[in-house]
Amino acid sequence: MQYNPGWNGSSVNLLHVRAAGPGDSLHYVWSSIGAPAVLLVATQSPNSTLRVNWTQLLSPSPAGAVWIDPPDSVVYSTAVVFTKLFEFSEAKPLGELFYPTYDLSEFSWDSLNRTLNHSALTAELSGAPATDPGGSFANGSLAFRVTAYEAGGRAERLPSLLHTADSSQLEFVLAGVAPRGNGSRFVLEVATVEEAGAVRRLRSERSIDDEYTPTIFEVLSLVAESQNGSSTLGFLQWKATAYGSRSPRREDGIRCRAQGLQAANWTLPVSSIVQAYFGESLGSSCTVSALNVSFGGEEGQVYQEKRYLSWSVLLGFGQPPRDTFSPLVISIAAVALGTPLAMLLLGSCLVLLARRRRYSEYEPIN
């Protein structure tokens, strides 16, 4: 993990996470320059490195300021941008009432270096609007917590996402922010950037197993596929829940919904890390898609009490991890299904033996 590689200042945030394999390497580049974003690059060289031209990156025209060396080692690259936070309430009988949008590219962000933990491979990017006339962020903040992994496993905290060494987890946290209405609900806008030859698709999978995330039976994945559908290149994966507590429990669950993936007909915020990497192709050959993730139930009364909201999402390369039944669940199911069957077989045998014994002891009168 490198913070602002090649730059001594802390007025901007750029975190480079590199995972090296025997024949390839993966790069995650997190940044709050412009809107918060992460650049994901997979290469076929174990020695590929990130290069940054800081003078150009911080200029009004950052195209070409970020690249991977050697350039021909790159086999896949994509980006995820967190652009806006919407807030609305259901004001009956007038319907939905939207408040002014929080544009995340206009936030002021704290130095990420203060939260960087090299041993735990974690960091937190926290910020608030540069101008806050209503004072909603006077005692609160919006944060993105990043966790990288060295091996496969499962997160300890709910929703206990299953991860691999090729993935990282991001936790979106809204803490202490005063809602601007009764029963306010929040919607996070997420944009993805794909180069020519790849498309994003939204998948939903349901399972009867909620062992690791109680009462949640749906997993959503935003996957990048080659246009011929032959392979999955990258993914975002999350469970259909958020939580309203710093120590989440089942009863703290908040309904989470994905409101459809659409082609974005707007441009990404200027001076972003995404423009610095993709350059001119961002407006020509690249495909930009947007997805809204909403938090809250039909009534909207989810944020008033504790004023805390956390949502976890996994980002990575290749196929998203798939949960399977654990040995414990398989054992319980085997006992639950096997015990009645064993009792039925044992009862049948006892009945047959009783009949044979009764027949053998029968003595005719004559």
Short mmCIF file of all heavy atoms in Angstrom, two decimals, residues 144-187:
data_model
loop_
_atom_site.label_atom_id
_atom_site.label_comp_id
_atom_site.label_asym_id
_atom_site.label_seq_id
_atom_site.Cartn_x
_atom_site.Cartn_y
_atom_site.Cartn_z
N PHE A 144 -15.55 6.46 3.25
CA PHE A 144 -15.34 5.23 2.50
C PHE A 144 -14.18 4.48 3.16
O PHE A 144 -13.06 4.99 3.20
CB PHE A 144 -15.02 5.51 1.03
CG PHE A 144 -16.15 6.14 0.27
CD1 PHE A 144 -16.21 7.52 0.13
CD2 PHE A 144 -17.13 5.36 -0.30
CE1 PHE A 144 -17.25 8.11 -0.57
CE2 PHE A 144 -18.18 5.95 -1.01
CZ PHE A 144 -18.25 7.33 -1.14
N ARG A 145 -14.46 3.30 3.72
CA ARG A 145 -13.44 2.50 4.37
C ARG A 145 -12.99 1.39 3.45
O ARG A 145 -13.80 0.59 2.97
CB ARG A 145 -13.99 1.91 5.67
CG ARG A 145 -14.34 2.97 6.72
CD ARG A 145 -15.02 2.36 7.91
NE ARG A 145 -15.38 3.37 8.91
CZ ARG A 145 -16.18 3.16 9.94
NH1 ARG A 145 -16.72 1.95 10.12
NH2 ARG A 145 -16.45 4.13 10.79
N VAL A 146 -11.69 1.32 3.22
CA VAL A 146 -11.11 0.37 2.27
C VAL A 146 -10.39 -0.73 3.03
O VAL A 146 -9.65 -0.46 3.99
CB VAL A 146 -10.13 1.10 1.33
CG1 VAL A 146 -9.48 0.11 0.37
CG2 VAL A 146 -10.83 2.22 0.57
N THR A 147 -10.59 -1.97 2.61
CA THR A 147 -9.87 -3.11 3.17
C THR A 147 -9.36 -3.98 2.04
O THR A 147 -10.13 -4.42 1.18
CB THR A 147 -10.78 -3.97 4.08
OG1 THR A 147 -11.33 -3.15 5.11
CG2 THR A 147 -9.99 -5.10 4.71
N ALA A 148 -8.04 -4.21 2.01
CA ALA A 148 -7.45 -5.12 1.03
C ALA A 148 -7.20 -6.47 1.70
O ALA A 148 -7.12 -6.56 2.93
CB ALA A 148 -6.14 -4.55 0.49
N TYR A 149 -7.07 -7.52 0.89
CA TYR A 149 -6.92 -8.87 1.44
C TYR A 149 -5.71 -9.56 0.82
O TYR A 149 -5.41 -9.40 -0.37
CB TYR A 149 -8.18 -9.70 1.17
CG TYR A 149 -9.41 -9.14 1.84
CD1 TYR A 149 -10.42 -8.54 1.08
CD2 TYR A 149 -9.58 -9.21 3.21
CE1 TYR A 149 -11.55 -8.02 1.69
CE2 TYR A 149 -10.71 -8.69 3.84
CZ TYR A 149 -11.69 -8.10 3.06
OH TYR A 149 -12.81 -7.58 3.66
N GLU A 150 -5.03 -10.34 1.65
CA GLU A 150 -3.89 -11.13 1.19
C GLU A 150 -4.28 -12.58 0.89
O GLU A 150 -3.51 -13.31 0.27
CB GLU A 150 -2.79 -11.13 2.25
CG GLU A 150 -2.14 -9.77 2.44
CD GLU A 150 -1.04 -9.80 3.48
OE1 GLU A 150 -1.24 -10.41 4.54
OE2 GLU A 150 0.02 -9.21 3.22
N ALA A 151 -5.46 -13.00 1.34
CA ALA A 151 -5.90 -14.37 1.14
C ALA A 151 -7.42 -14.41 1.19
O ALA A 151 -8.07 -13.42 1.54
CB ALA A 151 -5.30 -15.29 2.21
N GLY A 152 -7.97 -15.55 0.83
CA GLY A 152 -9.41 -15.71 0.88
C GLY A 152 -9.92 -15.84 2.30
O GLY A 152 -9.18 -16.19 3.22
N GLY A 153 -11.18 -15.54 2.49
CA GLY A 153 -11.77 -15.62 3.82
C GLY A 153 -13.13 -14.95 3.85
O GLY A 153 -13.76 -14.74 2.81
N ARG A 154 -13.56 -14.57 5.03
CA ARG A 154 -14.86 -13.93 5.21
C ARG A 154 -14.73 -12.82 6.25
O ARG A 154 -14.07 -12.99 7.28
CB ARG A 154 -15.90 -14.97 5.69
CG ARG A 154 -17.32 -14.43 5.75
CD ARG A 154 -18.28 -15.51 6.22
NE ARG A 154 -18.30 -16.65 5.32
CZ ARG A 154 -19.04 -16.70 4.21
NH1 ARG A 154 -19.81 -15.67 3.89
NH2 ARG A 154 -19.02 -17.77 3.45
N ALA A 155 -15.34 -11.68 5.96
CA ALA A 155 -15.30 -10.56 6.89
C ALA A 155 -16.00 -10.93 8.20
O ALA A 155 -17.02 -11.63 8.19
CB ALA A 155 -15.96 -9.34 6.26
N GLU A 156 -15.46 -10.46 9.31
CA GLU A 156 -16.02 -10.80 10.62
C GLU A 156 -17.32 -10.07 10.88
O GLU A 156 -18.24 -10.62 11.47
CB GLU A 156 -15.00 -10.47 11.71
CG GLU A 156 -13.73 -11.32 11.65
CD GLU A 156 -12.77 -10.99 12.77
OE1 GLU A 156 -13.10 -10.09 13.58
OE2 GLU A 156 -11.70 -11.61 12.84
N ARG A 157 -17.42 -8.81 10.45
CA ARG A 157 -18.61 -8.02 10.72
C ARG A 157 -19.67 -8.28 9.65
O ARG A 157 -19.36 -8.57 8.50
CB ARG A 157 -18.26 -6.52 10.70
CG ARG A 157 -17.50 -6.04 11.93
CD ARG A 157 -16.80 -4.72 11.68
NE ARG A 157 -17.65 -3.76 11.00
CZ ARG A 157 -18.41 -2.85 11.61
NH1 ARG A 157 -18.43 -2.81 12.94
NH2 ARG A 157 -19.12 -1.99 10.93
N LEU A 158 -20.93 -8.18 10.07
CA LEU A 158 -22.02 -8.28 9.11
C LEU A 158 -21.85 -7.19 8.05
O LEU A 158 -21.42 -6.10 8.35
CB LEU A 158 -23.36 -8.11 9.83
CG LEU A 158 -23.81 -9.27 10.74
CD1 LEU A 158 -25.10 -8.91 11.46
CD2 LEU A 158 -23.98 -10.55 9.95
N PRO A 159 -22.13 -7.54 6.79
CA PRO A 159 -22.82 -8.74 6.29
C PRO A 159 -21.92 -9.93 5.98
O PRO A 159 -22.33 -10.83 5.26
CB PRO A 159 -23.47 -8.23 5.01
CG PRO A 159 -22.51 -7.20 4.49
CD PRO A 159 -21.96 -6.53 5.72
N SER A 160 -20.70 -9.94 6.51
CA SER A 160 -19.80 -11.11 6.41
C SER A 160 -19.59 -11.54 4.97
O SER A 160 -19.79 -12.71 4.61
CB SER A 160 -20.36 -12.27 7.24
OG SER A 160 -20.58 -11.90 8.57
N LEU A 161 -19.16 -10.61 4.13
CA LEU A 161 -18.95 -10.92 2.72
C LEU A 161 -17.78 -11.88 2.55
O LEU A 161 -16.74 -11.75 3.20
CB LEU A 161 -18.68 -9.63 1.92
CG LEU A 161 -19.84 -8.64 1.83
CD1 LEU A 161 -19.39 -7.37 1.09
CD2 LEU A 161 -21.04 -9.26 1.12
N LEU A 162 -17.94 -12.84 1.65
CA LEU A 162 -16.88 -13.78 1.30
C LEU A 162 -15.94 -13.10 0.31
O LEU A 162 -16.39 -12.52 -0.68
CB LEU A 162 -17.50 -15.04 0.69
CG LEU A 162 -16.54 -16.16 0.28
CD1 LEU A 162 -15.88 -16.76 1.51
CD2 LEU A 162 -17.29 -17.23 -0.51
N HIS A 163 -14.63 -13.18 0.56
CA HIS A 163 -13.68 -12.50 -0.31
C HIS A 163 -12.55 -13.44 -0.73
O HIS A 163 -12.34 -14.50 -0.15
CB HIS A 163 -13.08 -11.27 0.39
CG HIS A 163 -12.32 -11.60 1.64
ND1 HIS A 163 -12.84 -11.45 2.90
CD2 HIS A 163 -11.06 -12.10 1.82
CE1 HIS A 163 -11.95 -11.82 3.80
NE2 HIS A 163 -10.86 -12.23 3.17
N THR A 164 -11.83 -13.02 -1.76
CA THR A 164 -10.64 -13.73 -2.24
C THR A 164 -9.46 -12.75 -2.17
O THR A 164 -9.63 -11.57 -1.86
CB THR A 164 -10.82 -14.21 -3.69
OG1 THR A 164 -10.90 -13.06 -4.56
CG2 THR A 164 -12.10 -15.03 -3.83
N ALA A 165 -8.28 -13.26 -2.50
CA ALA A 165 -7.09 -12.40 -2.52
C ALA A 165 -7.12 -11.43 -3.70
O ALA A 165 -6.33 -10.49 -3.75
CB ALA A 165 -5.83 -13.25 -2.58
N ASP A 166 -8.03 -11.66 -4.66
CA ASP A 166 -8.14 -10.79 -5.83
C ASP A 166 -9.19 -9.70 -5.64
O ASP A 166 -9.59 -9.05 -6.60
CB ASP A 166 -8.52 -11.62 -7.07
CG ASP A 166 -7.44 -12.62 -7.43
OD1 ASP A 166 -6.31 -12.45 -6.98
OD2 ASP A 166 -7.75 -13.58 -8.17
N SER A 167 -9.65 -9.49 -4.41
CA SER A 167 -10.73 -8.53 -4.18
C SER A 167 -10.40 -7.62 -3.01
O SER A 167 -9.51 -7.89 -2.20
CB SER A 167 -12.05 -9.28 -3.91
OG SER A 167 -11.93 -10.10 -2.77
N SER A 168 -11.15 -6.52 -2.92
CA SER A 168 -11.05 -5.58 -1.81
C SER A 168 -12.46 -5.21 -1.38
O SER A 168 -13.39 -5.24 -2.20
CB SER A 168 -10.28 -4.32 -2.21
OG SER A 168 -8.93 -4.60 -2.51
N GLN A 169 -12.62 -4.84 -0.13
CA GLN A 169 -13.94 -4.45 0.37
C GLN A 169 -13.99 -2.95 0.61
O GLN A 169 -13.04 -2.35 1.10
CB GLN A 169 -14.27 -5.19 1.67
CG GLN A 169 -15.65 -4.82 2.23
CD GLN A 169 -16.07 -5.69 3.39
OE1 GLN A 169 -16.30 -6.88 3.25
NE2 GLN A 169 -16.15 -5.09 4.57
N LEU A 170 -15.12 -2.36 0.26
CA LEU A 170 -15.37 -0.95 0.50
C LEU A 170 -16.62 -0.83 1.36
O LEU A 170 -17.64 -1.45 1.07
CB LEU A 170 -15.57 -0.20 -0.82
CG LEU A 170 -15.87 1.29 -0.67
CD1 LEU A 170 -14.64 2.04 -0.23
CD2 LEU A 170 -16.39 1.87 -1.98
N GLU A 171 -16.53 -0.04 2.42
CA GLU A 171 -17.68 0.21 3.30
C GLU A 171 -18.04 1.68 3.22
O GLU A 171 -17.22 2.55 3.56
CB GLU A 171 -17.36 -0.20 4.73
CG GLU A 171 -18.56 -0.06 5.68
CD GLU A 171 -18.22 -0.45 7.10
OE1 GLU A 171 -17.05 -0.78 7.36
OE2 GLU A 171 -19.13 -0.41 7.95
N PHE A 172 -19.24 1.96 2.76
CA PHE A 172 -19.76 3.32 2.71
C PHE A 172 -20.44 3.61 4.04
O PHE A 172 -21.31 2.87 4.48
CB PHE A 172 -20.76 3.46 1.55
CG PHE A 172 -21.61 4.69 1.61
CD1 PHE A 172 -21.06 5.94 1.35
CD2 PHE A 172 -22.95 4.60 1.91
CE1 PHE A 172 -21.84 7.08 1.40
CE2 PHE A 172 -23.75 5.73 1.96
CZ PHE A 172 -23.19 6.98 1.72
N VAL A 173 -20.04 4.72 4.70
CA VAL A 173 -20.54 5.03 6.04
C VAL A 173 -21.05 6.47 6.08
O VAL A 173 -20.34 7.41 5.68
CB VAL A 173 -19.45 4.84 7.12
CG1 VAL A 173 -19.99 5.22 8.49
CG2 VAL A 173 -18.94 3.41 7.12
N LEU A 174 -22.26 6.63 6.56
CA LEU A 174 -22.84 7.94 6.81
C LEU A 174 -23.11 8.02 8.31
O LEU A 174 -23.95 7.28 8.82
CB LEU A 174 -24.13 8.09 6.01
CG LEU A 174 -24.68 9.51 5.81
CD1 LEU A 174 -23.71 10.35 4.98
CD2 LEU A 174 -26.05 9.46 5.14
N ALA A 175 -22.37 8.87 9.01
CA ALA A 175 -22.44 8.89 10.48
C ALA A 175 -22.64 10.30 10.99
O ALA A 175 -21.88 11.22 10.65
CB ALA A 175 -21.16 8.30 11.07
N GLY A 176 -23.69 10.50 11.81
CA GLY A 176 -23.91 11.77 12.48
C GLY A 176 -24.48 12.87 11.60
O GLY A 176 -24.63 14.01 12.06
N VAL A 177 -24.78 12.58 10.37
CA VAL A 177 -25.30 13.61 9.45
C VAL A 177 -26.78 13.85 9.76
O VAL A 177 -27.58 12.90 9.79
CB VAL A 177 -25.12 13.18 7.98
CG1 VAL A 177 -25.72 14.22 7.04
CG2 VAL A 177 -23.65 12.95 7.67
N ALA A 178 -27.15 15.10 10.00
CA ALA A 178 -28.53 15.43 10.35
C ALA A 178 -29.42 15.34 9.13
O ALA A 178 -29.14 15.98 8.11
CB ALA A 178 -28.59 16.83 10.95
N PRO A 179 -30.47 14.53 9.17
CA PRO A 179 -31.40 14.46 8.04
C PRO A 179 -32.16 15.77 7.88
O PRO A 179 -32.42 16.49 8.85
CB PRO A 179 -32.33 13.30 8.40
CG PRO A 179 -32.26 13.21 9.89
CD PRO A 179 -30.88 13.65 10.28
N ARG A 180 -32.52 16.09 6.65
CA ARG A 180 -33.21 17.35 6.38
C ARG A 180 -34.73 17.20 6.36
O ARG A 180 -35.44 18.13 6.00
CB ARG A 180 -32.71 17.91 5.04
CG ARG A 180 -31.28 18.40 5.09
CD ARG A 180 -30.75 18.81 3.75
NE ARG A 180 -30.46 17.66 2.90
CZ ARG A 180 -29.92 17.76 1.68
NH1 ARG A 180 -29.61 18.96 1.18
NH2 ARG A 180 -29.68 16.68 0.97
N GLY A 181 -35.22 16.04 6.71
CA GLY A 181 -36.66 15.84 6.75
C GLY A 181 -37.01 14.65 7.63
O GLY A 181 -36.13 13.88 8.05
N ASN A 182 -38.28 14.52 7.94
CA ASN A 182 -38.75 13.38 8.72
C ASN A 182 -38.78 12.13 7.84
O ASN A 182 -39.38 12.14 6.77
CB ASN A 182 -40.15 13.66 9.27
CG ASN A 182 -40.13 14.78 10.29
OD1 ASN A 182 -39.16 14.95 11.02
ND2 ASN A 182 -41.21 15.56 10.33
N GLY A 183 -38.15 11.09 8.30
CA GLY A 183 -38.14 9.85 7.53
C GLY A 183 -37.30 9.94 6.28
O GLY A 183 -37.63 9.35 5.25
N SER A 184 -36.19 10.67 6.34
CA SER A 184 -35.33 10.81 5.15
C SER A 184 -34.75 9.47 4.73
O SER A 184 -34.40 8.63 5.56
CB SER A 184 -34.19 11.78 5.43
OG SER A 184 -34.62 13.11 5.40
N ARG A 185 -34.66 9.29 3.43
CA ARG A 185 -34.00 8.12 2.85
C ARG A 185 -32.86 8.61 1.97
O ARG A 185 -32.92 9.71 1.41
CB ARG A 185 -35.00 7.29 2.03
CG ARG A 185 -36.11 6.68 2.87
CD ARG A 185 -37.19 6.06 2.02
NE ARG A 185 -36.67 4.99 1.17
CZ ARG A 185 -37.41 4.36 0.26
NH1 ARG A 185 -38.68 4.68 0.11
NH2 ARG A 185 -36.88 3.40 -0.47
N PHE A 186 -31.82 7.79 1.85
CA PHE A 186 -30.64 8.18 1.10
C PHE A 186 -30.44 7.24 -0.09
O PHE A 186 -30.74 6.05 -0.03
CB PHE A 186 -29.41 8.16 2.00
CG PHE A 186 -29.44 9.21 3.09
CD1 PHE A 186 -29.93 8.89 4.35
CD2 PHE A 186 -29.00 10.49 2.84
CE1 PHE A 186 -29.97 9.85 5.35
CE2 PHE A 186 -29.05 11.46 3.84
CZ PHE A 186 -29.54 11.14 5.10
N VAL A 187 -29.88 7.81 -1.15
CA VAL A 187 -29.58 7.06 -2.37
C VAL A 187 -28.17 7.43 -2.81
O VAL A 187 -27.85 8.63 -2.97
CB VAL A 187 -30.58 7.38 -3.50
CG1 VAL A 187 -30.21 6.60 -4.77
CG2 VAL A 187 -32.00 7.05 -3.08
#
